[in-house]
């Protein structure tokens, strides 16, 4: 018997679509597992690690964006996101959350197959080393992995931030010169634990502003956009 090309986990709540995808991909030589929710997915992941996750955006309970963000926090399983939505913002948010590719329903099975194979080829060809997550802006250098931030000319001058303040700054650093709404900030920093009208983001931004301004007076790194949200103003570059 020929060994399967790769193992796939399909997370899709529509039973007919789930069955059709599973049957098609199995015929193409893949080992396929299925789940109908984030909870069911977690149960599958307890006993196997797939080579690729085919993840629907609209799921009961925890949605696909939240699942993607959660998985990316401590895993690098390749993710192909599926959705019935065609708005560009949904595609962009999905990719920013860490999805490797994005496919809008309805789609031809052959297109899905091509996307799956392309992702698996990229993963196989990719170097094993982890990407550097150090960024420079204004007078600061932030390391998202060691959760540290230095400023000024002396390498031992560190900025002391709370965990929530660091997460907030990290959110801005990864999305510079872009207006972020309060809801987006809450989702990217706190996810599903955020309350719908949680105003703590305003308090956190106020505290973070004061600390950044104290270290770099007059820099104005975070500005308020009326009826829009908040904007991180400096240019940001990745450093080694």
């Amino acid at each position: 018997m020929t060994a399967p090309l790769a193992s796939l986990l399909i997370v899709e709540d529509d039973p007919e679509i789930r069955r059709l995808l599973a049957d098609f991909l199995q015929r193409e030589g893949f080992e396929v597992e299925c789940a109908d929710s984030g909870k069911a997915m977690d149960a599958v992941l307890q006993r196997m690690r797939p080579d690729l996750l085919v993840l629907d955006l609209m799921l009961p309970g925890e949605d696909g964006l939240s699942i993607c963000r959660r998985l990316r926090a401590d895993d690098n399983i390749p993710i192909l996101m599926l959705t019935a939505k065609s708005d560009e913002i949904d595609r962009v948010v999905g990719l920013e959350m860490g999805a490797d590719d994005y496919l809008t329903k309805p789609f031809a099975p052959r297109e899905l197959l091509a996307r799956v194979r392309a992702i698996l080829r990229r993963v196989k060809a990719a170097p094993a080393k982890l990407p550097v997550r150090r960024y420079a802006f204004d007078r600061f250098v932030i390391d998202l992995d060691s959760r540290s931030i230095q400023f000024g000319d002396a390498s031992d001058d560190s900025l002391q931030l709370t965990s929530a303040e660091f997460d907030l700054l990290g959110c801005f650093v990864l999305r510079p010169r872009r207006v972020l709404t309060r809801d987006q900030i809450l989702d990217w920093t706190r996810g599903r634990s955020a309350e719908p009208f949680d105003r703590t983001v305003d308090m956190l931004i106020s505290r973070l502003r004061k600390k950044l301004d104290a270290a770099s007076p007059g820099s104005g790194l975070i500005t308020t956009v009326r009826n829009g949200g908040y904007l991180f103003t400096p240019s940001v570059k990745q450093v080694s």
Side-chain angles (χ1 to χ4, degrees), residues 20-131:
L20 290 172
L21 291 180
D23 290 348
F24 172 73
L25 291 168
Q26 284 173 337
R27 288 197 301 272
E28 293 297 325
F30 294 97
E31 177 185 351
V32 180
E33 292 277 351
C34 294
D36 60 4
S37 66
K39 184 177 181 180
M41 177 200 73
D42 289 338
V44 175
L45 293 177
Q46 290 292 319
R47 56 182 174 82
M48 60 97 69
R49 188 189 187 283
D51 295 303
L52 185 143
L53 187 68
V54 180
L55 177 64
D56 188 34
L57 176 64
M58 304 299 290
L59 292 169
E62 187 178 15
D63 63 36
L65 289 179
S66 179
I67 290 173
C68 187
R69 178 187 59 79
R70 174 164 63 84
L71 290 177
R72 279 294 170 265
D74 55 12
D75 207 321
N76 60 348
I77 296 175
I79 297 174
L80 172 60
M81 188 165 282
L82 308 179
T83 180
K85 294 185 177 181
S86 58
D87 292 342
E88 183 180 5
I89 186 63
D90 296 302
R91 177 176 62 84
V92 171
V93 171
L95 294 174
E96 286 186 341
M97 288 290 187
D100 295 87
D101 203 351
Y102 201 96
L103 190 56
T104 303
K105 300 175 184 177
F107 53 82
R110 287 290 167 185
E111 182 178 6
L112 171 69
L113 178 62
R115 300 288 185 98
V116 166
R117 286 174 171 168
I119 293 173
L120 291 173
R121 281 197 302 270
R122 291 200 300 268
V123 171
K124 187 175 181 180
K129 73 172 188 176
L130 295 174

Side-chain angles (χ1 to χ4, degrees), residues 49-218:
R49 188 189 187 283
D51 295 303
L52 185 143
L53 187 68
V54 180
L55 177 64
D56 188 34
L57 176 64
M58 304 299 290
L59 292 169
E62 187 178 15
D63 63 36
L65 289 179
S66 179
I67 290 173
C68 187
R69 178 187 59 79
R70 174 164 63 84
L71 290 177
R72 279 294 170 265
D74 55 12
D75 207 321
N76 60 348
I77 296 175
I79 297 174
L80 172 60
M81 188 165 282
L82 308 179
T83 180
K85 294 185 177 181
S86 58
D87 292 342
E88 183 180 5
I89 186 63
D90 296 302
R91 177 176 62 84
V92 171
V93 171
L95 294 174
E96 286 186 341
M97 288 290 187
D100 295 87
D101 203 351
Y102 201 96
L103 190 56
T104 303
K105 300 175 184 177
F107 53 82
R110 287 290 167 185
E111 182 178 6
L112 171 69
L113 178 62
R115 300 288 185 98
V116 166
R117 286 174 171 168
I119 293 173
L120 291 173
R121 281 197 302 270
R122 291 200 300 268
V123 171
K124 187 175 181 180
K129 73 172 188 176
L130 295 174
V132 175
R133 298 209 305 160
R134 296 180 73 242
Y135 301 88
F137 62 93
D138 191 65
R139 300 175 61 235
F140 302 89
V141 175
I142 183 172
D143 189 319
L144 298 180
D145 293 315
S146 67
R147 297 182 67 83
S148 62
I149 176 168
Q150 278 75 42
F151 68 93
D153 298 326
S155 60
D156 57 349
D157 286 343
S158 60
L159 189 66
Q160 300 303 313
L161 300 178
T162 66
S163 178
E165 291 165 353
F166 188 92
D167 290 341
L168 177 60
L169 181 57
C171 174
F172 281 127
V173 166
L174 293 175
R175 302 166 183 86
R177 298 183 175 182
R178 169 182 167 185
V179 177
L180 304 181
T181 67
R182 182 182 292 108
D183 287 342
Q184 286 175 321
I185 293 171
L186 282 169
D187 186 55
W188 284 322
T189 57
R190 296 182 58 188
R192 299 182 65 85
S193 65
E195 295 298 326
F197 301 102
D198 196 329
R199 306 288 293 192
T200 58
V201 65
D202 300 314
M203 180 178 63
L204 281 173
I205 286 176
S206 177
R207 286 172 17 200
L208 180 59
R209 269 178 175 156
K210 290 179 181 178
K211 291 184 178 183
L212 292 174
D213 288 345
S216 182

